[in-house]
Amino acid sequence: MPNSSSNINEMIVIDGVDGAGKGVQTRLLHQSFVNEGLDTILTREPGGSPAAEDIRKLLVEGDPQKWDSLTELLLMYAARRSHLRDTIWPALEAGRWVISDRFADSSRAFQGIAGELGLDLVEQIHHLVVGDFDPGLVLILDIPETIALQRALDRGDGEDRFEKKGTDYHSKVRQAYRQIALGNPSQYRLIDANQSIEQVSNEIIQVINQQFNLSLETSYAG
Ligand code: ADP
Ligand code: MG
């Protein structure tokens, strides 16, 4: 049954290390929203608008050393600006829910902490580009980075520039996400992603229903 409740639409982000299951889980969550009759877009970072997808290619392909962390951060925020202006803000304005595979916490974890720029620098650029806008909820898929990286490598899609930065880097990325999520429990939830796709999906649906007073059902079909 389509849900005609008067919930305020929000942006929901699923973030976490490469291979955690963000792509799979954002697709399932989007389907659950659609099944409920809620007008919802599925988007991703880096990318999410035509111009930002152009920048994505520069970031996710090629030699891991081709950009330093600061250049990565600037490219990420250039892409994020386009994503917000061309996709996210118009959708929210039109009353749609927005589900995004990655958002600003990827910059905090990858460039800020693992890339050693520091969170203060990221926050300065974040404020300049994003202002006070914040997602309604961020779900961090938490999983040992070695297991996640193996999943990502098995997927083998050629977008492996970050995967190639090695396990030390990704161990820092995982710890950074945990630190960010545990430091702000009102805006973040840590989800145990080292479970089956169905179990993770069920946990996500539960959290979303509770947070936004919805009655979504799982769309996992085996
Ligand atoms: P991400 O977008 O976080 O990098 P993906 O959603 O692309 O991760 O998943 C990476 C790979 O792992 C895919 O091949 C996917 O099918 C698989 N995968 C995702 N979630 C799980 C899970 N819970 N258990 C086992 N494999 C998974
Ligand atoms: Mg992905």
Side-chain angles (χ1 to χ4, degrees), residues 51-115:
E53 290 286 331
D54 288 344
I55 299 176
R56 176 187 179 92
K57 281 185 73 68
L58 301 175
L59 280 161
V60 301
E61 294 175 7
D63 186 319
Q65 305 307 326
K66 77 175 176 176
W67 314 112
D68 69 2
S69 296
L70 182 56
T71 313
E72 280 173 6
L73 185 73
L74 296 169
L75 287 168
M76 290 289 182
Y77 270 96
R80 185 160 300 133
R81 177 83 192 160
S82 164
H83 187 206
L84 285 163
R85 197 184 72 124
D86 295 341
T87 302
I88 296 170
W89 286 336
L92 292 172
E93 194 75 19
R96 301 192 173 97
W97 290 82
V98 174
I99 296 171
S100 186
D101 175 343
R102 294 194 180 284
F103 191 59
D105 296 299
S106 292
S107 299
R108 296 183 175 109
F110 281 76
Q111 285 77 43
I113 296 182

Coordinates of all heavy atoms in Angstrom, one line a residue, residues 51-115:
A51 N 28.2 16.4 -14.5 CA 29.5 17.0 -14.4 C 30.3 16.3 -13.3 O 31.5 16.1 -13.5 CB 29.4 18.5 -14.0
A52 N 29.7 15.9 -12.2 CA 30.4 15.2 -11.1 C 30.9 13.8 -11.5 O 31.9 13.3 -11.1 CB 29.6 15.2 -9.9
E53 N 30.1 13.2 -12.4 CA 30.5 11.9 -12.9 C 31.8 12.0 -13.8 O 32.6 11.1 -13.8 CB 29.4 11.2 -13.7 CG 28.2 10.7 -12.9 CD 28.5 9.5 -12.0 OE1 29.3 8.6 -12.4 OE2 27.9 9.3 -10.9
D54 N 31.9 13.1 -14.5 CA 33.2 13.4 -15.2 C 34.4 13.4 -14.2 O 35.4 12.9 -14.5 CB 33.1 14.7 -16.0 CG 32.2 14.6 -17.2 OD1 31.9 13.5 -17.6 OD2 31.8 15.7 -17.7
I55 N 34.2 14.1 -13.1 CA 35.2 14.2 -12.1 C 35.5 12.9 -11.5 O 36.6 12.5 -11.2 CB 34.9 15.3 -11.0 CG1 34.7 16.7 -11.7 CG2 36.0 15.3 -9.9 CD1 34.3 17.8 -10.7
R56 N 34.4 12.1 -11.3 CA 34.6 10.7 -10.7 C 35.7 9.9 -11.4 O 36.5 9.3 -10.8 CB 33.3 9.9 -10.8 CG 33.4 8.5 -10.2 CD 32.1 7.7 -10.5 NE 32.3 6.3 -10.0 CZ 32.0 5.9 -8.8 NH1 31.4 6.7 -7.9 NH2 32.1 4.7 -8.4
K57 N 35.6 9.9 -12.7 CA 36.6 9.1 -13.5 C 38.0 9.5 -13.2 O 38.9 8.7 -13.1 CB 36.4 9.3 -15.0 CG 35.2 8.5 -15.6 CD 35.1 8.7 -17.1 CE 36.2 7.9 -17.8 NZ 36.0 6.5 -17.7
L58 N 38.3 10.8 -13.0 CA 39.6 11.3 -12.6 C 40.1 10.7 -11.3 O 41.2 10.4 -11.1 CB 39.6 12.8 -12.5 CG 39.3 13.6 -13.8 CD1 39.2 15.1 -13.5 CD2 40.2 13.3 -14.9
L59 N 39.1 10.5 -10.4 CA 39.4 10.1 -9.0 C 39.6 8.6 -8.8 O 40.4 8.2 -8.1 CB 38.3 10.6 -8.1 CG 38.4 12.1 -7.7 CD1 37.1 12.6 -7.2 CD2 39.6 12.3 -6.7
V60 N 38.7 7.8 -9.5 CA 38.7 6.4 -9.2 C 39.5 5.5 -10.1 O 39.5 4.3 -9.8 CB 37.2 5.9 -9.1 CG1 36.4 6.7 -8.0 CG2 36.5 5.9 -10.4
E61 N 40.1 6.1 -11.1 CA 40.8 5.2 -12.1 C 42.3 5.7 -12.0 O 42.6 6.8 -11.8 CB 40.3 5.4 -13.5 CG 38.9 4.8 -13.6 CD 38.2 5.0 -15.0 OE1 38.9 5.5 -15.9 OE2 37.1 4.6 -15.1
G62 N 43.2 4.7 -12.3 CA 44.6 5.1 -12.5 C 45.5 4.9 -11.3 O 45.1 4.2 -10.3
D63 N 46.6 5.5 -11.4 CA 47.7 5.3 -10.4 C 47.3 5.9 -9.0 O 46.9 7.1 -9.0 CB 49.0 6.0 -10.9 CG 50.2 5.7 -10.0 OD1 50.0 5.8 -8.8 OD2 51.3 5.5 -10.5
P64 N 47.4 5.2 -7.9 CA 47.0 5.7 -6.6 C 47.7 7.0 -6.3 O 47.2 7.9 -5.6 CB 47.4 4.6 -5.6 CG 47.5 3.4 -6.4 CD 47.8 3.8 -7.8
Q65 N 49.0 7.2 -6.8 CA 49.8 8.3 -6.4 C 49.5 9.5 -7.4 O 50.2 10.6 -7.2 CB 51.3 8.0 -6.5 CG 51.7 6.8 -5.6 CD 51.2 6.9 -4.2 OE1 51.2 8.0 -3.6 NE2 50.8 5.8 -3.5
K66 N 48.6 9.4 -8.3 CA 48.6 10.5 -9.3 C 48.0 11.8 -8.7 O 48.4 12.9 -9.2 CB 47.8 10.1 -10.6 CG 46.3 10.1 -10.4 CD 45.6 9.8 -11.8 CE 44.1 9.6 -11.6 NZ 43.4 9.5 -12.9
W67 N 47.2 11.7 -7.7 CA 46.9 13.0 -6.9 C 47.3 12.8 -5.5 O 47.2 11.7 -4.9 CB 45.3 13.2 -6.9 CG 44.6 13.0 -8.2 CD1 43.7 12.0 -8.4 CD2 44.6 13.8 -9.3 NE1 43.1 12.2 -9.7 CE2 43.7 13.3 -10.2 CE3 45.3 15.0 -9.6 CZ2 43.5 13.9 -11.5 CZ3 45.1 15.6 -10.9 CH2 44.2 15.0 -11.8
D68 N 47.8 13.9 -4.9 CA 48.0 13.8 -3.4 C 46.6 14.0 -2.7 O 45.6 14.3 -3.4 CB 49.1 14.8 -3.0 CG 48.7 16.3 -3.1 OD1 47.5 16.5 -3.5 OD2 49.5 17.1 -2.8
S69 N 46.6 13.9 -1.4 CA 45.4 13.9 -0.7 C 44.6 15.3 -0.8 O 43.4 15.3 -0.9 CB 45.6 13.7 0.8 OG 46.1 12.4 1.0
L70 N 45.4 16.4 -0.9 CA 44.8 17.7 -1.0 C 44.1 17.8 -2.4 O 43.0 18.4 -2.5 CB 45.8 18.8 -0.8 CG 45.2 20.2 -0.8 CD1 44.0 20.4 0.2 CD2 46.3 21.3 -0.6
T71 N 44.8 17.4 -3.4 CA 44.1 17.5 -4.8 C 42.9 16.6 -4.8 O 41.9 17.0 -5.4 CB 45.1 17.0 -5.8 OG1 46.4 17.7 -5.6 CG2 44.6 17.4 -7.2
E72 N 43.0 15.4 -4.2 CA 41.8 14.5 -4.1 C 40.7 15.3 -3.4 O 39.5 15.2 -3.9 CB 42.1 13.3 -3.3 CG 42.8 12.2 -4.1 CD 43.2 11.0 -3.2 OE1 42.9 11.0 -1.9 OE2 43.9 10.1 -3.7
L73 N 41.0 15.9 -2.3 CA 39.9 16.6 -1.5 C 39.3 17.7 -2.4 O 38.0 17.8 -2.4 CB 40.5 17.2 -0.3 CG 39.5 17.8 0.7 CD1 38.7 16.8 1.4 CD2 40.2 18.7 1.7
L74 N 40.1 18.4 -3.1 CA 39.6 19.5 -3.9 C 38.7 19.0 -5.0 O 37.6 19.6 -5.3 CB 40.7 20.4 -4.4 CG 41.5 21.1 -3.3 CD1 42.8 21.7 -3.9 CD2 40.7 22.2 -2.6
L75 N 39.1 17.9 -5.6 CA 38.3 17.3 -6.7 C 37.0 16.7 -6.1 O 35.9 16.9 -6.7 CB 39.1 16.2 -7.4 CG 40.2 16.7 -8.3 CD1 41.1 15.5 -8.7 CD2 39.7 17.3 -9.6
M76 N 37.1 16.1 -5.0 CA 35.9 15.6 -4.3 C 34.9 16.7 -4.0 O 33.7 16.5 -4.3 CB 36.3 14.9 -3.0 CG 37.0 13.6 -3.1 SD 36.0 12.2 -3.8 CE 37.2 10.9 -3.8
Y77 N 35.4 17.8 -3.5 CA 34.5 18.9 -3.2 C 34.0 19.6 -4.4 O 32.9 20.1 -4.4 CB 35.1 19.8 -2.1 CG 34.7 19.3 -0.7 CD1 35.5 18.5 0.0 CD2 33.4 19.5 -0.2 CE1 35.2 17.9 1.2 CE2 33.0 19.0 1.0 CZ 33.9 18.2 1.7 OH 33.5 17.7 2.9
A78 N 34.8 19.6 -5.5 CA 34.2 20.2 -6.7 C 33.1 19.3 -7.2 O 32.0 19.8 -7.6 CB 35.4 20.3 -7.8
A79 N 33.3 18.0 -7.2 CA 32.2 17.1 -7.6 C 31.0 17.2 -6.7 O 29.9 17.2 -7.1 CB 32.8 15.6 -7.6
R80 N 31.3 17.3 -5.4 CA 30.2 17.4 -4.4 C 29.3 18.6 -4.6 O 28.1 18.6 -4.5 CB 30.8 17.4 -3.0 CG 29.7 17.3 -1.9 CD 30.3 16.8 -0.6 NE 30.8 15.4 -0.8 CZ 32.0 15.0 -0.4 NH1 32.8 15.8 0.3 NH2 32.4 13.8 -0.6
R81 N 30.0 19.7 -5.0 CA 29.3 21.0 -5.2 C 28.3 20.8 -6.4 O 27.1 21.2 -6.3 CB 30.3 22.1 -5.5 CG 29.7 23.4 -5.9 CD 29.3 24.2 -4.6 NE 28.5 25.3 -5.0 CZ 27.7 26.0 -4.1 NH1 27.7 25.6 -2.8 NH2 27.0 27.0 -4.5
S82 N 28.8 20.2 -7.4 CA 27.9 19.9 -8.6 C 26.8 19.0 -8.2 O 25.6 19.2 -8.6 CB 28.8 19.3 -9.7 OG 27.9 18.7 -10.7
H83 N 27.1 17.9 -7.4 CA 26.1 16.9 -7.0 C 25.0 17.6 -6.2 O 23.8 17.3 -6.4 CB 26.8 15.9 -6.2 CG 26.0 14.7 -5.8 ND1 26.3 13.9 -4.6 CD2 24.9 14.1 -6.3 CE1 25.4 13.0 -4.5 NE2 24.6 13.0 -5.5
L84 N 25.4 18.5 -5.3 CA 24.4 19.2 -4.4 C 23.6 20.1 -5.3 O 22.3 20.1 -5.2 CB 25.1 20.0 -3.4 CG 25.7 19.2 -2.2 CD1 26.7 20.0 -1.4 CD2 24.5 18.8 -1.3
R85 N 24.2 20.9 -6.1 CA 23.5 22.0 -6.9 C 22.6 21.4 -7.9 O 21.5 21.8 -8.2 CB 24.5 22.9 -7.5 CG 24.0 24.2 -8.0 CD 25.0 25.0 -8.7 NE 25.3 24.4 -10.0 CZ 25.3 25.1 -11.1 NH1 24.9 26.4 -11.2 NH2 25.5 24.5 -12.3
D86 N 23.1 20.3 -8.6 CA 22.3 19.8 -9.8 C 21.4 18.6 -9.4 O 20.5 18.3 -10.2 CB 23.3 19.4 -10.9 CG 24.1 20.5 -11.4 OD1 23.7 21.7 -11.3 OD2 25.2 20.3 -12.0
T87 N 21.7 18.0 -8.3 CA 20.9 16.7 -8.0 C 20.2 16.8 -6.7 O 19.0 16.7 -6.5 CB 21.8 15.5 -8.1 OG1 22.4 15.4 -9.4 CG2 21.0 14.2 -7.9
I88 N 21.0 16.9 -5.6 CA 20.5 16.7 -4.2 C 19.5 17.8 -3.8 O 18.4 17.6 -3.4 CB 21.7 16.6 -3.2 CG1 22.5 15.4 -3.5 CG2 21.1 16.6 -1.8 CD1 23.8 15.3 -2.7
W89 N 20.0 19.1 -3.9 CA 19.2 20.1 -3.5 C 17.9 20.3 -4.3 O 16.8 20.4 -3.7 CB 20.0 21.5 -3.4 CG 20.9 21.5 -2.2 CD1 20.8 20.8 -1.1 CD2 22.1 22.3 -2.1 NE1 21.9 21.1 -0.2 CE2 22.7 22.0 -0.9 CE3 22.8 23.2 -3.0 CZ2 23.9 22.5 -0.4 CZ3 24.0 23.8 -2.5 CH2 24.5 23.4 -1.3
P90 N 17.9 20.2 -5.6 CA 16.6 20.2 -6.3 C 15.7 19.1 -5.9 O 14.5 19.3 -5.9 CB 17.1 20.1 -7.8 CG 18.5 20.6 -7.8 CD 19.1 20.2 -6.5
A91 N 16.2 17.9 -5.7 CA 15.4 16.8 -5.3 C 14.7 17.0 -4.0 O 13.5 16.8 -3.8 CB 16.2 15.5 -5.3
L92 N 15.5 17.4 -3.0 CA 14.9 17.7 -1.7 C 13.9 18.8 -1.8 O 12.8 18.7 -1.1 CB 16.0 18.1 -0.7 CG 17.0 16.9 -0.3 CD1 18.2 17.5 0.5 CD2 16.3 15.8 0.4
E93 N 14.2 19.8 -2.5 CA 13.3 21.0 -2.7 C 11.9 20.5 -3.4 O 10.9 21.0 -3.0 CB 13.9 21.9 -3.7 CG 13.3 23.3 -3.8 CD 13.6 24.1 -2.6 OE1 14.6 23.8 -1.8 OE2 12.9 25.1 -2.3
A94 N 12.0 19.5 -4.2 CA 10.8 18.9 -4.9 C 10.1 17.9 -4.0 O 9.1 17.3 -4.5 CB 11.2 18.3 -6.2
G95 N 10.6 17.7 -2.8 CA 9.9 16.8 -1.9 C 10.3 15.3 -2.0 O 9.6 14.5 -1.5
R96 N 11.4 15.1 -2.7 CA 11.8 13.7 -2.8 C 12.8 13.3 -1.7 O 13.5 14.2 -1.2 CB 12.6 13.5 -4.2 CG 11.7 13.9 -5.4 CD 12.4 13.4 -6.7 NE 11.4 13.6 -7.7 CZ 11.4 14.7 -8.5 NH1 12.3 15.7 -8.4 NH2 10.4 14.9 -9.4
W97 N 12.8 12.0 -1.4 CA 13.8 11.5 -0.5 C 15.1 11.3 -1.4 O 15.0 11.0 -2.6 CB 13.4 10.1 0.0 CG 12.3 10.2 1.0 CD1 11.0 10.3 0.8 CD2 12.5 10.2 2.5 NE1 10.3 10.4 2.0 CE2 11.2 10.3 3.0 CE3 13.6 10.2 3.3 CZ2 10.9 10.3 4.4 CZ3 13.3 10.2 4.7 CH2 12.0 10.3 5.2
V98 N 16.2 11.4 -0.8 CA 17.5 11.2 -1.5 C 18.3 10.2 -0.8 O 18.5 10.3 0.5 CB 18.3 12.5 -1.6 CG1 19.7 12.3 -2.2 CG2 17.6 13.6 -2.3
I99 N 18.7 9.1 -1.5 CA 19.6 8.1 -0.9 C 20.9 8.1 -1.6 O 20.9 8.0 -2.9 CB 18.9 6.7 -1.0 CG1 17.6 6.6 -0.2 CG2 19.9 5.6 -0.6 CD1 16.8 5.3 -0.5
S100 N 22.0 8.4 -0.9 CA 23.3 8.5 -1.6 C 24.3 7.5 -1.1 O 24.4 7.3 0.1 CB 23.8 9.9 -1.4 OG 25.0 10.1 -2.1
D101 N 24.9 6.8 -2.0 CA 26.1 5.9 -1.8 C 27.3 6.8 -1.6 O 27.8 7.3 -2.6 CB 26.1 5.0 -3.0 CG 27.3 4.0 -3.0 OD1 28.3 4.3 -2.2 OD2 27.3 3.1 -3.8
R102 N 27.7 7.1 -0.4 CA 28.8 8.0 0.0 C 28.3 9.4 0.0 O 27.5 9.9 -0.8 CB 30.0 7.9 -0.9 CG 30.8 6.6 -0.8 CD 32.2 6.7 -1.5 NE 33.0 5.5 -1.5 CZ 33.6 5.0 -0.4 NH1 33.5 5.7 0.8 NH2 34.2 3.9 -0.5
F103 N 29.0 10.2 0.9 CA 28.9 11.7 0.9 C 30.1 12.2 1.7 O 31.1 11.6 1.6 CB 27.5 12.1 1.6 CG 27.2 13.5 1.4 CD1 27.1 14.1 0.1 CD2 27.0 14.4 2.5 CE1 26.8 15.5 0.0 CE2 26.7 15.7 2.4 CZ 26.6 16.3 1.1
A104 N 29.9 13.3 2.4 CA 31.1 14.0 2.9 C 31.9 13.2 3.9 O 33.1 13.5 4.0 CB 30.6 15.3 3.7
D105 N 31.4 12.2 4.6 CA 32.2 11.4 5.5 C 33.3 10.6 4.8 O 34.3 10.3 5.4 CB 31.3 10.5 6.4 CG 30.4 11.4 7.3 OD1 31.0 12.1 8.1 OD2 29.2 11.4 7.1
S106 N 33.1 10.3 3.5 CA 34.1 9.7 2.7 C 35.4 10.7 2.7 O 36.5 10.2 2.8 CB 33.7 9.4 1.3 OG 32.7 8.4 1.3
S107 N 35.1 11.9 2.5 CA 36.2 12.9 2.5 C 36.9 13.0 3.8 O 38.1 13.1 4.0 CB 35.8 14.3 2.1 OG 35.2 14.3 0.8
R108 N 36.1 13.0 4.9 CA 36.7 13.0 6.3 C 37.5 11.8 6.5 O 38.7 11.9 7.0 CB 35.5 13.1 7.3 CG 34.7 14.4 7.2 CD 33.6 14.5 8.3 NE 32.9 15.7 8.2 CZ 31.7 15.9 7.8 NH1 30.9 14.9 7.4 NH2 31.1 17.1 7.7
A109 N 37.0 10.6 6.2 CA 37.7 9.4 6.5 C 38.9 9.2 5.5 O 40.0 8.9 6.0 CB 36.8 8.2 6.4
F110 N 38.7 9.3 4.2 CA 39.8 9.0 3.3 C 40.9 10.1 3.3 O 42.0 9.9 3.5 CB 39.2 8.9 1.9 CG 38.6 7.5 1.6 CD1 37.3 7.2 2.1 CD2 39.3 6.5 0.9 CE1 36.7 6.0 1.9 CE2 38.7 5.3 0.6 CZ 37.4 5.0 1.1
Q111 N 40.5 11.4 2.9 CA 41.5 12.4 2.8 C 41.8 13.0 4.1 O 43.0 13.4 4.4 CB 41.0 13.5 1.8 CG 41.0 13.1 0.3 CD 39.9 12.2 0.0 OE1 38.7 12.4 0.4 NE2 40.2 11.2 -0.8
G112 N 40.8 13.2 5.0 CA 41.1 13.8 6.3 C 41.9 13.0 7.2 O 42.9 13.5 7.7
I113 N 41.5 11.7 7.4 CA 42.2 10.9 8.4 C 43.2 10.0 7.7 O 44.4 10.1 7.9 CB 41.2 10.2 9.3 CG1 40.4 11.2 10.1 CG2 41.9 9.2 10.2 CD1 39.4 10.7 11.1
A114 N 42.8 9.1 6.8 CA 43.8 8.1 6.2 C 44.8 8.9 5.4 O 45.9 8.6 5.3 CB 43.0 7.1 5.4
G115 N 44.3 10.0 4.7 CA 45.2 10.8 3.8 C 45.9 11.9 4.6 O 46.7 12.7 4.0

